[in-house]
Amino acid sequence: MYGNIAKAGRKDNKTRYLEKQLSVLNASLHQAETIKTCIEQQMDNLDVTDTHYDKKISDLQRRLDTQYDKIDEVEEAIATERLIIDRIIAKIYSII
């Protein structure tokens, strides 16, 4: 009986740690989405008559693609963390 409660306590500590990581990942996702929005605004505000337009739009597009990749990576990490947390919680309830 007490062994199960101790296991549940350890798993609860593990979920707290994972939830902190999840919070950091959510902040990282928000930052990446904010940067993406800024880049999109810069692209929208470019002057097409600028002699360096092609170079500028190319650079901004490359930076935008990088942000999309980062957003995808962070979203995958968030999904993985949530899955792990859900599994730990399911084990806690199956023990008690």
Side-chain angles (χ1 to χ4, degrees):
M1 168 82 182
Y2 293 112
N4 288 342
I5 293 172
K7 286 180 186 177
R10 283 194 303 269
K11 290 184 183 193
D12 186 45
N13 288 337
K14 176 102 176 170
T15 58
R16 282 192 199 118
Y17 171 75
L18 292 171
E19 286 169 351
K20 286 179 185 178
Q21 284 184 313
L22 189 59
S23 178
V24 169
L25 287 170
N26 281 322
S28 181
L29 178 62
H30 178 71
Q31 180 183 24
E33 288 176 340
T34 301
I35 292 170
K36 176 190 71 88
T37 300
C38 289
I39 293 170
E40 289 170 337
Q41 290 173 351
Q42 288 176 348
M43 292 174 82
D44 289 343
N45 292 328
L46 277 180
D47 180 8
V48 294
T49 61
D50 186 343
T51 55
H52 300 287
Y53 174 82
D54 290 336
K55 183 178 179 183
K56 290 178 182 178
I57 197 75
S58 177
D59 178 57
L60 288 170
Q61 186 61 54
R62 180 187 53 76
R63 290 172 50 203
L64 184 63
D65 292 343
T66 300
Q67 284 310 118
Y68 274 113
D69 291 342
K70 183 172 185 174
I71 289 169
D72 287 342
E73 289 173 12
V74 174
E75 286 176 338
E76 287 176 21
I78 288 172
T80 301
E81 291 289 319
R82 285 188 178 146
L83 182 63
I84 293 168
I85 291 169
D86 290 345
R87 287 181 179 170
I88 291 171
I89 290 171
K91 285 182 181 180
I92 288 172
Y93 287 113
S94 69
I95 290 173
I96 296 175

